[in-house]
Amino acid sequence: LLNKQFGLNLSTNQLIDYASKLGSDCPFFILNKPCFATGRGEIMEPVALDLSSYQLMIVNPGIHVNTGEAFSYLTPRKINNVSASIKDIIDQPISTWQHSLVNDFELPLFNKYPVIKEIKETMYKMGASYAAMSGSGSSMYGLFDKKMQLTPSFDPAYFVQLVSL
């Protein structure tokens, strides 16, 4: 926005470089399309992922999760004793992601903050095709068929947002 607003004429690569100085996951937002990110988040490979038939629900219970603390709980795991490639997983139908596309931060944080786990379970009960925690938490997101009429009934203190993709 600032690049356009002020006529800076910065290239995408320059914007990505500046964004990487703000934070490891910031360059992702410069491209604003599905990407497989590696490195610290600054190396991005666009992926063919069409979410246009979905709506996104974001729920944040207002729990602050310290990123450093979240990383201290992290134990990377293998699914079914086989390390599945995220690229291979996202090539599959979204309905199959529930058991294969896993955020490793979830289990330890669900144990510490059960309400976060409850949000995920509620999303699946509401009909989510996929639900997961965003990054190191505490926001949860769910992908729902765009045709579904959703009436979220979470605690009124939670931030809840529906977005059409």
Side-chain angles (χ1 to χ4, degrees), residues 10-32 40-44:
L10 297 171
S11 70
T12 299
N13 286 339
Q14 287 173 302
L15 291 170
I16 289 171
D17 183 55
Y18 286 128
S20 68
K21 290 173 174 55
L22 292 173
S24 293
D25 55 358
C26 293
F28 177 83
F29 297 99
I30 299 299
L31 294 181
N32 196 27
R40 294 181 307 107
E42 79 285 6
I43 303 166
M44 291 169 290

Side-chain angles (χ1 to χ4, degrees), residues 85-150:
S85 162
I86 293 174
K87 290 181 192 178
D88 292 338
I89 293 169
I90 64 172
D91 279 342
Q92 302 304 312
I94 291 173
S95 60
T96 66
W97 292 4
Q98 180 177 355
H99 302 291
S100 55
L101 187 57
V102 178
N103 179 339
D104 288 328
F105 286 111
E106 286 185 1
L107 185 59
L109 290 175
F110 286 176
N111 289 331
K112 184 166 182 169
Y113 305 104
V115 69
I116 301 173
K117 180 180 181 181
E118 290 170 17
I119 293 169
K120 181 175 183 174
E121 290 170 349
T122 300
M123 286 183 174
Y124 277 120
K125 288 176 187 170
M126 293 173 63
S129 297
Y130 178 70
M133 190 167 65
S134 177
S136 58
S138 67
S139 293
M140 295 295 301
Y141 67 93
L143 293 172
F144 295 83
D145 187 290
K146 196 175 266 186
K147 296 173 189 164
M148 291 180 70
Q149 295 294 326
L150 297 172

